Amino acid sequence: MRVLWLVLTLVAAAHASAYERFMSPNGKLEAYTTANWPDGSGTKLFLRRAQTRDTGVMLWQNNRWIDAKWSPDSRFLAVIDHFDGHIADVYVFGITAANPAGPSIATLLYHTPELRTYDVQWDVVDWLLNTRSIILKRKVHFGFRQETIVAHIGTTALKTPHPDQT
């Protein structure tokens, strides 16, 4: 009986409420995180319409943690994948709502160069929507360098960049 209770508790914890919620500026969509594994480790990021109880669409998953930042016009979602304590990459999704009753569509449009480079951490600084660009900060721990770049988001979908993505 105790084993059954433990299994049910772990399953319930895995499907428990979100760790973090990232509401779009227009209030129509939300991204939220949950545990990736039954033991509570890792993170999954989902996208759904605001104020709904459905699961939505899974955008990203990893074994550590994920952060997300919306563009001011709610058309783009930047996902910061903290792959491990030494690596953080940024992936930018274009977000569209083709059908008001259906799920939102997320298309990967950009990712930071040289993915999963050890001791390199990227973060989002700001958005330049008039030029469809994002301002990113790159911090290199080995060598103690830091720089800011402006990256064009693009309009063409990218291939999924790594095998952890499902």
Side-chain angles (χ1 to χ4, degrees):
M1 189 58 127
R2 286 184 180 179
V3 172
L4 177 61
W5 177 83
L6 179 61
V7 169
L8 291 174
T9 302
L10 289 174
V11 169
H15 296 288
S17 62
Y19 289 158
E20 286 190 78
R21 297 181 188 279
F22 308 95
M23 187 66 67
S24 64
N26 66 9
K28 294 181 180 180
L29 299 167
E30 98 176 308
Y32 70 96
T33 59
T34 64
N36 191 18
W37 303 107
D39 67 358
S41 64
T43 309
K44 288 183 182 178
L45 178 75
F46 293 87
L47 176 68
R48 68 180 174 195
R49 295 192 183 282
Q51 301 175 0
T52 61
R53 296 239 182 236
D54 67 337
T55 304
V57 177
M58 186 176 70
L59 290 182
W60 210 254
Q61 64 182 358
N62 70 15
N63 293 327
R64 294 282 292 202
W65 76 94
I66 297 171
D67 193 12
K69 296 181 182 179
W70 284 96
S71 65
D73 64 359
S74 302
R75 291 179 48 217
F76 302 102
L77 181 65
V79 175
I80 301 95
D81 178 7
H82 296 273
F83 176 72
D84 70 14
H86 298 275
I87 299 170
D89 293 315
V90 175
Y91 301 85
V92 179
F93 290 88
I95 308 297
T96 57
N99 176 355
S104 298
I105 298 168
T107 305
L108 180 62
L109 298 173
Y110 173 83
H111 61 73
T112 48
E114 301 173 13
L115 295 172
R116 295 189 173 181
T117 303
Y118 190 77
D119 267 350
V120 175
Q121 295 185 337
W122 292 90
D123 198 6
V124 176
V125 175
D126 204 355
W127 300 86
L128 298 173
L129 297 177
N130 58 336
T131 60
R132 197 177 168 112
S133 300
I134 187 168
I135 301 173
L136 300 169
K137 178 175 65 175
R138 178 179 157 207
K139 190 186 301 183
V140 181
H141 293 282
F142 183 73
F144 307 101
R145 291 181 291 135
Q146 186 170 308
E147 66 181 331
T148 303
I149 68 164
V150 176
H152 184 68
I153 294 170
T155 57
T156 306
L158 299 178
K159 184 178 179 216
T160 303
H162 65 81
D164 293 345
Q165 180 69 26
T166 57

